[in-house]
Amino acid sequence: MTNRVIGLIGAMDEEIELLLGEMTHNETIVKSGITYVKGSWLGKEVVVCKSGVGKVNAAVTTQVLIDTFGVTSVIFTGVAGALDPELQIGDIVISTSCMQHDMDVSPLGFARGVIPYQKVSDFPADQELVSLAAKACDGLGEVNYKVGRVLSGDQFIASRETVKVLYEELHGVCAEMEGSAVAQACYMNGVPYVVIRSMSDKADGSAHVNFAEFTVDSSRRSHVIVSRMLEGIS
């Protein structure tokens, strides 16, 4: 039976540092300009990396994890802008699926978000990983979370009008810049994934947050969630 190798992609240096600080038997490899650290954490074989910003970086990072390191599942953590009006800063979203909101070929008759001539455009997350993430969030107690569709695009969303469209038409609960690329690469390779995002803003330009402080708190929270998920993976 093939050993499970878990790919952990972080969006922030602070997240990566917390993970690397507890790993053992580390081996560092640079591929396509991305640094990958392979080692052991909580008795599991893991490969940790930071993808960089945007869908291309995320897709390349994920494909390298699959081709070079043979990961059998991928967990992506980071921050996002809330689309669901019930979400507040600091709340967490766990992906049921991921879709590209900036994929728009509507002049040719395709619905927004649909990748032309492809059967799947909304890439489902792995139910086991979703359940493990939800259980980990339940254990945090004071943190609210939602499970829903994550939307991705190479855009920073800061418009109330755009938020309304993405929430009402594409039914996204949050917007970010990498998750759907991770999801599509995993789907195309048959590798389970989940995206976990902490809400840093309301995606409408209205939120004012000390991002340095938020980053520290978010990174610690993500660290706890991922560690509890790993403990639950058989």
Side-chain angles (χ1 to χ4, degrees):
M1 182 176 179
T2 302
N3 292 331
R4 295 191 76 161
V5 183
I6 303 159
L8 304 176
I9 308 176
M12 298 179 287
D13 288 323
E14 289 80 3
E15 285 183 278
I16 300 300
E17 289 168 3
L18 287 171
L19 293 170
L20 297 181
E22 296 184 0
M23 288 173 58
T24 57
H25 309 296
N26 295 0
E27 177 187 3
T28 299
I29 299 171
V30 178
K31 279 278 203 179
S32 301
I34 304 292
T35 299
Y36 299 82
V37 182
K38 183 178 180 180
S40 177
W41 184 35
L42 297 173
K44 307 296 192 303
E45 190 173 350
V46 298
V47 182
V48 176
C49 59
K50 187 179 79 168
S51 65
V53 177
K55 291 185 297 180
V56 173
N57 279 327
V60 171
T61 298
T62 305
Q63 195 64 50
V64 171
L65 281 172
I66 294 167
D67 288 344
T68 301
F69 299 97
V71 299
T72 54
S73 57
V74 173
I75 302 172
F76 187 104
T77 64
V79 300
L83 300 175
D84 188 319
E86 293 183 357
L87 287 170
Q88 303 300 320
I89 293 172
D91 289 350
I92 293 169
V93 167
I94 302 166
S95 65
T96 53
S97 65
C98 291
M99 191 175 196
Q100 298 179 60
H101 67 75
D102 61 350
M103 174 61 68
D104 189 356
V105 197
S106 53
L108 297 183
F110 296 92
R112 182 172 179 175
V114 170
I115 303 170
Y117 316 115
Q118 186 165 299
K119 289 184 178 180
V120 177
S121 299
D122 185 26
F123 302 99
D126 178 71
Q127 284 303 305
E128 178 189 0
L129 294 175
V130 171
S131 296
L132 286 170
K135 185 177 180 180
C137 288
D138 285 332
L140 292 175
E142 75 283 0
V143 176
N144 295 316
Y145 72 92
K146 275 186 174 285
V147 181
R149 178 181 290 165
V150 173
L151 298 180
S152 309
D154 289 324
Q155 305 165 356
F156 187 89
I157 305 300
S159 158
R160 287 182 175 87
E161 292 75 16
T162 304
V163 167
K164 181 179 175 65
V165 169
L166 297 184
Y167 179 65
E168 294 183 355
E169 293 187 14
L170 294 184
H171 310 295
V173 293
C174 72
E176 38 86 297
M177 301 177 73
E178 295 85 26
S180 68
V182 173
Q184 184 170 350
C186 285
Y187 178 84
M188 293 172 72
N189 288 275
V191 174
Y193 87 93
V194 71
V195 171
I196 304 166
R197 292 286 192 173
S198 295
M199 301 303 100
S200 62
D201 61 88
K202 301 281 282 184
D204 60 4
S206 65
H208 299 282
V209 61
N210 184 324
F211 197 75
E213 291 181 6
F214 175 84
T215 297
V216 172
D217 291 341
S218 174
S219 297
R220 288 173 179 166
R221 197 178 299 124
S222 295
H223 180 72
V224 172
I225 292 170
V226 172
S227 65
R228 290 181 179 176
M229 289 179 68
L230 260 64
E231 289 171 351
I233 293 176
S234 59

